[in-house]
Amino acid sequence: MRKRQAAFNVFTAATSFSALALATGVQAQGVAQAVADEGGEIVVTAQKRSESMQKVPISIAAISGEQLAQRQIRAAEDLVTSVPGLQVNGALGEGLPIFSLRGISMLDFSLVQNGPIAVYYDEVYKGNFAIMGLGMFDLERVEVLKGPQGTLYGKNTTGGAVNLITRKPKFETGGNLSVGYGNYGRLTTDGAAEVALSDTLGARIAYTFERADGWANNKYPRAADANSTRQYGIRGSLRYKPTDIVDITIRGTTTFQNPWNYGV
């Protein structure tokens, strides 16, 4: 399967969203008391506004970007290792996660169907699981909401919702880079850089790249080995915050994926 997707979204935040830049997602279990002891709080946007996680009347699990890196969570299907009750069905192969939450899933594995567990990238609905294969990168946090969410998130959320929230420019200059290597010629690298163009304008660019040879040798000339991986993603962000009540972020993303999942 060869997939290419491009996305462009504009997010305009008003008064209640001015605190979003300060939001830090952390794992729900076992850390609430530690955060409280430090005088802080767990802030999420599960109800379309910044709130303390302890005050949100929703069953929710939140994972920070740092924890995603520590646990080697590089794709949406890897979330099942850190979210209790979340399962994934890979009946159609790697990179096509069909989520199950609280026993709610789908039996129709057609690529044109939308599952009952909705996935959102920066509040943009990614209904079809065929576009969820690319590795997650430069995320601020992930929020998994359990149970029906139709009143706020619309249809296709009868089982829950998965919110992937990317990092925004913070009006400072810096960056990060990570490189990994594994068997079958696997090479992974992720990085990000941002610059403060002024006190009210900042820019950030992030990328991910992954390649690996397959474990099943393909005898056809110039054909990729089965289970090989070739993918990348690039995201650019521009943030403008002239006042405390005006906070505008523009993002542009392009991704490419060309995996060979099975040797048949």
Side-chain angles (χ1 to χ4, degrees):
M1 176 176 290
R2 183 183 177 99
K3 296 182 287 185
R4 182 184 293 274
Q5 56 175 311
F8 184 78
N9 65 76
V10 179
F11 172 75
T12 303
T15 306
S16 62
F17 292 103
S18 61
L20 184 59
L22 302 178
T24 302
V26 295
Q27 179 67 20
Q29 291 77 19
V31 299
Q33 187 59 47
V35 174
D37 292 342
E38 295 176 1
E41 62 179 354
I42 305 172
V43 180
V44 296
T45 54
Q47 297 191 116
K48 306 290 186 177
R49 58 183 180 269
S50 297
E51 297 177 285
S52 171
M53 183 170 164
Q54 288 79 5
K55 298 180 181 179
V56 177
I58 298 175
S59 179
I60 178 175
I63 310 173
S64 70
E66 290 75 14
Q67 289 175 322
L68 292 172
Q70 292 172 359
R71 300 172 188 180
Q72 293 295 302
I73 299 177
R74 299 185 54 84
E77 55 262 36
D78 296 336
L79 291 172
V80 299
T81 62
S82 296
V83 179
L86 181 66
Q87 296 178 314
V88 63
N89 184 337
L92 295 179
E94 296 180 10
L96 298 170
I98 302 175
F99 287 117
S100 174
L101 194 57
R102 288 188 171 180
I104 304 297
S105 187
M106 62 183 294
L107 295 176
D108 188 346
F109 299 137
S110 170
L111 290 176
V112 300
Q113 297 297 326
N114 296 332
I117 312 299
V119 178
Y120 297 86
Y121 245 111
D122 292 318
E123 300 189 45
V124 177
Y125 178 53
K126 301 292 185 182
N128 195 293
F129 49 84
I131 60 177
M132 287 306 301
L134 185 74
M136 302 182 300
F137 65 104
D138 201 40
L139 294 184
E140 180 179 303
R141 67 184 182 279
V142 174
E143 300 175 6
V144 179
L145 285 61
K146 304 177 182 180
Q149 306 295 326
T151 55
L152 277 180
Y153 289 84
K155 67 174 185 176
N156 300 324
T157 57
T158 54
V162 179
N163 293 329
L164 309 177
I165 303 168
T166 63
R167 297 184 185 276
K168 298 198 298 185
K170 297 181 179 179
F171 310 110
E172 59 187 33
T173 299
N176 61 80
L177 176 66
S178 64
V179 179
Y181 186 81
N183 58 349
Y184 298 106
R186 179 172 297 275
L187 174 65
T188 61
T189 175
D190 301 271
E194 68 174 89
V195 59
L197 302 177
S198 70
D199 294 337
T200 60
L201 185 64
R204 183 180 182 91
I205 185 169
Y207 82 96
T208 182
F209 173 84
E210 183 172 1
R211 71 168 306 280
D213 298 326
W215 47 263
N217 186 27
N218 196 332
K219 296 298 184 179
Y220 286 95
R222 297 183 300 277
D225 292 336
N227 206 245
S228 61
T229 300
R230 301 288 189 277
Q231 66 181 25
Y232 68 81
I234 303 173
R235 180 189 306 114
S237 304
L238 186 66
R239 183 183 181 189
Y240 179 58
K241 187 179 179 182
T243 68
D244 291 337
I245 62 174
V246 177
D247 191 345
I248 301 173
T249 300
I250 301 176
R251 297 183 179 93
T253 304
T254 182
T255 64
F256 173 80
Q257 185 183 54
N258 186 18
W260 296 77
N261 291 316
Y262 298 115
V264 178

